Amino acid sequence: MPAPLVGRKFGVNIIPIPDKAICKKIRVLGISGSSRQQPVMSKSEALLDKALAQYREFGCTTEFIRLKDLKIYECEGNYSENPAYCTYPCQSSMKYEDDEMQKVYDAVLACDILILATPIRWNNHSALVQKFVERMNAIENQYSWFGNRLIQNKVAGLIVIGHVDGVQHVSGNLMNFFSWLGFHIPEVAIASWVGENDEDTTKDKELIENNRYTQEDLSNLVASALRLACALKQQCENEQKCSGL
């Protein structure tokens, strides 16, 4: 007779880290999509900070962007009029002198790993993340319309935090978005936490920090994204060496 199921097993799927000499070549970008007034208020951003700290411990170079801190105009739907009008550099970046989306473009194009953190807002990602998604259409359209793929050999992962059970929905939407852009998805791509039905958010920080599964998922997200990014970089370097023979 099989043993009764007692829940998810803890500590049985620990993903090892690659050689630190390889990790030093990896550039990691963390993007926070939280709209909280102060950085210390955001639980999703706190997990993102922890992930970036782990990457630095492994020798990676990290960069952090808080979307809330940037002046980013909404996508004006140039693609809807004609796909050829949705170009990179984005027309909005050129149209508005104070638009700061180019800082995001530059960071995304320079990274090897992108970790995006978002709270759940009514069973979806945040409005700031949606603005980021729509403005990234100029990058995706370079390939689909012009045949120029700007995202290559890059890895994407997610941190999703909330009090409604929308992790699968939010993650599915964003992973689809990253896939269309050209990102690779690691074996463990998501670290998440969903609060209790009482929605007492004042308890969240302690509960997240003490949740072994969320913390294990975060470590495995860091490790699996790093392993994939290192493999892609080694493959790219080998191909370049071979092509130069």
Side-chain angles (χ1 to χ4, degrees), residues 5 13 24 36 39 67 71 101 104 115 118 151 166 200 233:
L5 296 176
N13 183 32
K24 289 180 180 179
R36 298 306 303 274
L67 294 176
K71 174 68 173 179
M101 184 63 191
V104 182
I115 306 295
T118 180
I151 303 293
D200 182 359
K233 184 170 285 290

Side-chain angles (χ1 to χ4, degrees), residues 16 39 44 54-55 65-67 80 90 98 110 112 131 133-134 171 179 185 188 199 226-227 233:
S44 60
Q54 290 182 24
Y55 279 118
I65 288 179
R66 183 181 294 114
L67 294 176
S80 298
C90 176
D98 57 342
D112 299 300
K131 185 186 292 186
V133 167
E134 293 179 9
S171 300
S179 180
I185 308 302
V188 178
E199 298 202 32
L226 188 54
R227 286 174 64 84
K233 184 170 285 290

